[in-house]
Amino acid sequence: MTGIRLTMAALGATALTLTAAPAMATAAGITTDVTMTLGKDGTLHVVEKISGGSGGLKRTFLARTRYDDSYDRLYQISNVKGGTIAGDVLTVTGQTVEYDVKGAVTTSGGVEELRWFAVNGWNQQVDKATVKVNGPGLVQNLSCFAGDLTSAIGCTAASMDHSATQADFEQENIAPGQALTVVIGYPKGSSTGAPILEKRFSLAAAFTLNTITGGALAGLLVLLLGGIGLLYWTRGRDARVVSHEQDAVNPVQNGHFSPPDGVRPGQIGTLVDEQADVVDVTATIVDLAVRGYLRIDEQPRQTYDAPDWMLVRLPNAPVNALLPYEHALYDAIFDGRDAVLLSQMSGSFVAHLGKVRDALYADVVKQGWFARRPDTERTRWTTIGVVLIGVGLLATVALAWFTTYGLLGLALVIAGGALAVGGQYMPAKTAKGSAAMAHTMKFREYLFSGELGNVPEQHRVELFSRYLPYAVIFDGVEHWSRVVAAVTGNGGQADNLYWYHGPAEWDLSKFAGSMRAFTTTTSGAISATRQFRTL
């Protein structure tokens, strides 16, 4: 019997050892004893004594919760002792941690409620937590919740002492990331504490439209857009011409062509639309041909070949008599060559087009038609408008983020857009420019009036050819090409003009189609360059 008893005792000891081994292998969790004291100013002072655990202990405070549909509730942690805090993460360096919390008190009905996450966010399990709470008044009610942050499960124990001045809570086995939330009610007015609320950002709230924001937006738009309108009225309008010639313009003097005020096609084009663009350059090329500086030779082609033209420099042409912009274009075309195909005008031609444009703008200022270069004027006001748009966008973001007046920033964006677009209309003609414009419009009426019977027949080829570059400016190439093709010096049909030669078996009956193709092709080649692409 004694042997059997000894054997059973040994087996029992062995079983006990095997059973205890896993428990010993399991790491011990944290034990925490929390004492919280709510002051009269609403500040909650917390002292937490920690034991157990292994490795570095860290706790992530819950510093923000949802308050309602528009606001978040903030809890401010300060005066930390026994650890270091970075953001919301506390790294424990001692056995006791102290800190203050503001924003843990709120008034609900007739009760002042203290709510705080006494235990939460630990990186290790809390085996046992005890919480004692002292406040500035008698405890009216108390409750606690354990588990996930949204849990409604009560804690292990919650009670108050016989004097109702201290509340006690207890909870076991709080997993990492879980919380023990305590809620204690005190009489209203026990402290001056209040919740810290922060408005939650939303587009709907940031751009709230109500009486205040709508009225402010309307007033700001009226002020800004009215200012832009006043700016255009005082700075962007053409000068009024008190009196100018009312009689019809007659460009024929002594049987020879005499444009109104001696204005060239490129000058007229820049005067009319206030831009040195592709049409002005194309018309100037035709004008140089008509005036005897170059000849345009249409090249023979097969049915499906693209049309092409040879521009030929004419000898003994008085190049020095050209205006600066004409001289720049003449040099850009030939660049030391005697002839060049239109399809091969690249390289140096493209490089020189910027000089042509600049010379055209300088010319209209020199003529006294504009006080400042139109392109510079447009750029200045457009740049100011773009800057205003940028300022408006920044203001909109700032106002939307920090207030509900984001709509007011949009007023600056709208005004900037209006100024950027309106900047295209800011170049203003002087009185001299307005008078030249009036003469130009009368010349245009003359060209398209059809009253050309008083032009002597022997001068019609020259005169009508001289009209053609102006017709390019006025978008009347088709009409004037047919007029030119209809007559010669003796009234009969001819094979060529003195400034335009066609290939074999070509005559003036095809001139209208050829001229239309030439101006279209030339304008397309110029518009493909960087200098004129956006004009």
Side-chain angles (χ1 to χ4, degrees):
M1 292 295 293
T2 301
I4 294 173
R5 288 175 180 173
L6 292 174
T7 302
M8 293 298 292
L11 290 174
T14 302
L16 181 61
T17 301
L18 293 174
T19 303
M24 294 175 63
T26 303
I30 303 170
T31 299
T32 178
D33 186 5
V34 183
T35 301
M36 304 194 306
T37 304
L38 180 62
K40 285 284 188 180
D41 63 350
T43 300
L44 180 67
H45 182 69
V46 183
V47 179
E48 188 168 0
K49 296 180 179 180
I50 307 161
S51 61
S54 60
L57 289 179
K58 290 187 177 182
R59 178 182 179 184
T60 302
F61 287 108
L62 185 61
R64 179 188 294 266
T65 61
R66 185 179 185 278
Y67 185 75
D68 57 22
D69 291 340
S70 300
Y71 290 90
D72 287 338
R73 183 175 181 179
L74 307 183
Y75 299 88
Q76 294 180 350
I77 313 296
S78 61
N79 302 324
V80 176
K81 299 178 182 178
T84 58
I85 190 166
D88 298 332
V89 179
L90 170 69
T91 301
V92 177
T93 58
Q95 297 298 313
T96 301
V97 176
E98 294 186 41
Y99 59 88
D100 292 334
V101 182
K102 290 185 178 180
V105 177
T106 186
T107 300
S108 178
V111 178
E112 189 173 283
E113 180 184 274
L114 166 66
R115 176 182 293 267
W116 179 237
F117 313 98
V119 180
N120 87 288
W122 285 104
N123 62 345
Q124 298 182 27
Q125 176 169 305
V126 178
D127 289 342
K128 184 176 181 179
T130 58
V131 181
K132 294 181 176 59
V133 184
N134 296 290
L138 298 179
V139 175
Q140 302 294 299
N141 56 66
L142 55 81
S143 59
C144 61
F145 306 98
D148 295 332
L149 293 175
T150 57
S151 173
I153 300 174
C155 60
T156 303
S159 62
M160 69 179 75
D161 65 0
H162 66 280
S163 61
T165 59
Q166 177 178 298
D168 298 290
F169 304 91
E170 184 177 318
Q171 179 63 32
E172 297 179 352
N173 299 324
I174 303 174
Q178 292 185 338
L180 169 60
T181 306
V182 299
V183 182
I184 306 101
Y186 295 102
K188 186 176 181 180
S190 297
S191 74
T192 58
I196 301 173
L197 303 180
E198 182 180 88
K199 191 170 183 62
R200 190 181 306 111
F201 176 79
S202 69
L203 287 177
F207 295 94
T208 300
L209 179 61
N210 52 37
T211 304
I212 296 176
T213 58
L217 176 62
L220 194 56
L221 280 176
V222 169
L223 181 64
L224 291 173
L225 296 181
I228 293 174
L230 180 63
L231 181 66
Y232 174 76
W233 184 263
T234 57
R235 297 286 301 275
R237 288 193 310 154
D238 294 343
R240 298 180 62 184
V241 180
V242 177
S243 62
H244 56 78
E245 186 176 331
Q246 298 295 324
D247 297 332
V249 172
N250 184 5
V252 181
Q253 302 293 333
N254 299 321
H256 296 284
F257 176 73
S258 177
D261 300 326
V263 178
R264 305 279 171 80
Q267 294 173 319
I268 281 185
T270 308
L271 174 68
V272 170
D273 60 12
E274 301 172 346
Q275 296 193 57
D277 53 24
V278 296
V279 175
D280 305 332
V281 176
T282 301
T284 300
I285 292 176
V286 176
D287 188 51
L288 291 176
V290 172
R291 287 160 53 201
Y293 289 90
L294 61 90
R295 189 180 70 247
I296 303 173
D297 290 350
E298 183 176 338
Q299 301 300 292
R301 61 190 176 96
Q302 299 300 321
T303 304
Y304 298 104
D305 289 345
D308 203 358
W309 292 264
M310 180 76 74
L311 303 184
V312 181
R313 181 204 298 264
L314 296 182
N316 303 321
V319 178
N320 293 333
L322 293 174
L323 296 177
Y325 81 89
E326 295 175 322
H327 207 302
L329 179 58
Y330 188 82
D331 291 341
I333 294 172
F334 294 108
D335 193 27
R337 300 167 293 194
D338 290 329
V340 60
L341 285 172
L342 183 63
S343 60
Q344 296 177 354
M345 281 201 317
S346 59
S348 61
F349 177 72
V350 173
H352 282 80
L353 281 178
K355 297 179 181 178
V356 177
R357 179 194 58 188
D358 290 341
L360 260 174
Y361 282 128
D363 183 87
V364 294
V365 174
K366 182 179 178 181
Q367 296 291 335
W369 297 338
F370 296 90
R372 289 171 293 275
R373 285 179 48 148
D375 60 329
T376 302
E377 196 75 359
R378 278 191 297 270
T379 300
R380 180 172 67 167
W381 292 109
T382 300
T383 301
I384 294 175
V386 171
V387 170
L388 189 58
I389 290 174
V391 172
L393 290 174
L394 292 176
T396 299
V397 172
L399 289 171
W401 188 261
F402 296 107
T403 71
T404 59
Y405 296 95
L407 285 174
L408 301 188
L410 294 179
L412 289 176
V413 176
I414 295 171
L419 188 58
V421 174
Q424 303 302 308
Y425 304 95
M426 288 305 291
K429 300 179 184 67
T430 62
K432 185 177 180 180
S434 296
M437 183 68 175
H439 286 199
T440 297
M441 292 298 99
K442 290 185 178 300
F443 178 45
R444 183 181 185 277
E445 292 176 8
Y446 171 81
L447 286 181
F448 294 102
S449 65
E451 299 176 1
L452 305 175
N454 59 342
V455 177
E457 187 172 310
Q458 65 271 23
H459 296 301
R460 288 191 174 185
V461 170
E462 176 196 355
L463 288 175
F464 292 172
S465 293
R466 293 296 303 274
Y467 291 159
L468 186 58
Y470 298 88
V472 173
I473 294 294
F474 297 134
D475 195 23
V477 173
E478 181 77 18
H479 171 72
W480 273 104
S481 296
R482 295 186 183 280
V483 172
V484 173
V487 297
T488 63
N490 57 11
Q493 191 68 54
D495 292 336
N496 291 295
L497 295 170
Y498 67 92
W499 58 273
Y500 190 101
H501 289 180
E505 300 181 358
W506 182 95
D507 57 41
L508 284 181
S509 64
K510 302 175 182 177
F511 177 71
S514 295
M515 202 64 221
R516 181 176 62 251
F518 174 78
T519 55
T520 301
T521 304
T522 304
S523 296
I526 297 170
S527 63
T529 66
R530 182 179 300 273
Q531 289 86 352
F532 286 88
R533 185 175 300 161
T534 59
L535 297 183

